Amino acid sequence: MTIDLRSDTVTQPTEQMREAILHAEVGDDVYGEDPTINELQEQAAAQLGKEAGLFVTSGTQGNLLAVLSQTERGDEVILGEDSHLFYSETGSLAAIAGVQTRTLESVNGQMTIERIAKSIRTTTDLHQPKTGLVCLENTHARSGGSILPLSYMEKVADLAGGMNIPIHLDGSRLFNASVRLGVDVQDITQYAGTVLICLSKGLSAPMGSILVGDQPTINRARRWRKALGGGTRQAGIVGAAGQVALASMVDRLAIDHTNAEVLADGLHRLPELRIINEEVHSNIVIVSLEQLPIDATLFIQRLKDQGILVSRMNERQVRLVTHREISRADVERVVRVIKEMVQEV
Ligand SMILES: *Cc1c(COP(=O)(O)O)cnc(C)c1O
């Protein structure tokens, strides 16, 4: 049996999801007539404490819609240099939204408040773009699933809010943060105007994300979604699985966090390896191979030969992600296999 630690996106829909899909009541969602999608959007908006929700095909689409519906062409968007929006969304902010990215250095997903404050432009000077949006990411993927402290989010909200600049929260793994912090998810979402969540990662739905925000913003996002080819018809077929995801898959994320800690702890004991995110906040472990004579490509291949899949961050770093289909025994096996391997090379 393969142990797939590349991403939590590999999770298969549960039996309960397949059952819900089979019996989903559906309609034409472009007409706004899919009862399952309407219910899912309302459920997500209520859960996240916002007025309205929009079902979208992917997190990337939802993030792009958040930008399109809250900025004008030529606006500047402030975001972290290693944010998913900047780093991993195919340049869509430039290519499609026509905005200019103002990327700031970020440590554990946090740009300093001082740098954000300095970077905000509200001038009416003809030469300068204006800041249209500030983007945060929680949990923060590239730093290893880091959680943004609530106090940090509050500071960003105070700063941007005071200048009438909207905040978008890329919360693809937002529930990992709320579960780990032991807070209501709204304690986090209160600091952002729009929030994106993914149903298809740790929550195990086959596809789909939801963008929530105030009604006018979501109305604009709906128009842009149509323009991007994201209007779908009997979408309740997949939305039904999303309902199960929100209703019953959130609390179990704690198991993934425990497994990630066990994994990091086991690997941390190997002097040949270094864990980049020493304090594992959620379900991602990033391992540095600097001390090894082999690079990431070879490391990944050797593990693959033993039925273990991990993903590549760069030439010297790999990423391991725990999820519903990774058991404690799997994690222990992975530690054993890696231990043997690093001692051999
Ligand atoms: C996965 C992810 C997304 C969106 O990914 P899709 O594959 O487009 O659904 C956005 N932001 C972060 C932080 C992510 O981890």
Side-chain angles (χ1 to χ4, degrees), residues 58-60 63 84 89 137 141 170 172-173 201:
S58 68
T60 298
N63 276 336
H84 197 280
E89 301 193 3
E137 184 177 313
D170 176 351
S172 293
R173 296 192 184 85
K201 293 192 168 166

Side-chain angles (χ1 to χ4, degrees), residues 89-339:
E89 301 193 3
T90 335
S92 65
L93 299 200
I96 302 171
V99 294
Q100 172 162 298
T101 46
R102 182 81 174 259
T103 54
L104 304 185
E105 186 190 337
S106 114
V107 177
N108 294 333
Q110 298 171 48
M111 310 170 271
T112 67
I113 303 296
E114 294 70 32
R115 284 298 307 278
I116 298 174
K118 256 191 211 164
S119 306
I120 288 176
R121 305 206 247 184
T122 53
T123 171
T124 50
D125 174 3
L126 179 68
H127 301 83
Q128 296 193 41
K130 73 173 198 310
T131 302
L133 188 67
V134 176
C135 297
L136 298 176
E137 184 177 313
N138 194 4
T139 63
H140 185 266
R142 282 194 76 81
S143 63
S146 308
I147 295 174
L148 305 184
L150 291 177
S151 57
Y152 172 78
M153 296 206 56
E154 183 179 11
K155 280 183 202 146
V156 177
D158 283 349
L159 173 66
M163 298 171 119
N164 276 328
I165 297 165
I167 295 175
H168 170 62
L169 174 61
D170 176 351
S172 293
R173 296 192 184 85
L174 179 65
F175 292 108
N176 291 87
S178 63
V179 165
R180 182 56 189 261
L181 291 175
V183 300
D184 190 288
V185 75
Q186 293 189 22
D187 292 339
I188 307 175
T189 59
Q190 63 175 321
Y191 300 118
T194 52
V195 181
L196 169 92
I197 55 161
C198 283
L199 303 168
S200 63
K201 293 192 168 166
L203 302 188
S204 304
M207 65 165 284
S209 291
I210 302 179
L211 177 69
V212 298
D214 63 29
Q215 191 69 58
T217 304
I218 294 302
N219 291 347
R220 286 194 296 278
R222 181 181 288 277
R223 282 188 68 84
W224 278 116
R225 185 187 67 173
K226 188 78 180 84
L228 294 175
T232 49
R233 304 298 177 176
Q234 285 73 34
I237 285 289
V238 284
Q243 288 189 338
V244 175
L246 282 185
S248 60
M249 300 302 286
V250 170
D251 293 341
R252 64 150 307 286
L253 293 173
I255 300 170
D256 303 342
H257 301 161
T258 305
N259 283 335
E261 273 184 60
V262 171
L263 180 61
D265 200 49
L267 297 179
H268 181 71
R269 288 166 202 274
L270 309 177
E272 297 87 351
L273 298 177
R274 192 168 64 83
I275 309 295
I276 298 285
N277 52 322
E278 256 179 73
E279 201 188 330
V280 176
H281 286 184
S282 54
N283 66 330
I284 301 176
V285 180
I286 298 176
V287 181
S288 164
L289 310 174
E290 277 151 41
Q291 331 253 31
L292 286 182
I294 58 171
D295 63 10
T297 310
L298 203 52
F299 185 88
I300 290 168
Q301 185 56 50
R302 295 266 174 98
L303 281 184
K304 194 174 173 189
D305 293 342
Q306 309 240 33
I308 297 168
L309 305 181
V310 303
S311 66
R312 173 201 169 88
M313 292 292 287
N314 58 47
E315 243 348 86
R316 309 302 295 170
Q317 291 178 11
V318 295
R319 183 182 84 156
L320 293 75
V321 184
T322 56
H323 51 78
R324 186 173 57 82
E325 289 161 32
I326 299 295
S327 66
R328 178 70 171 256
D330 289 336
V331 163
E332 284 162 2
R333 160 135 195 270
V334 169
V335 172
R336 267 197 318 275
V337 170
I338 293 182
K339 184 176 177 183

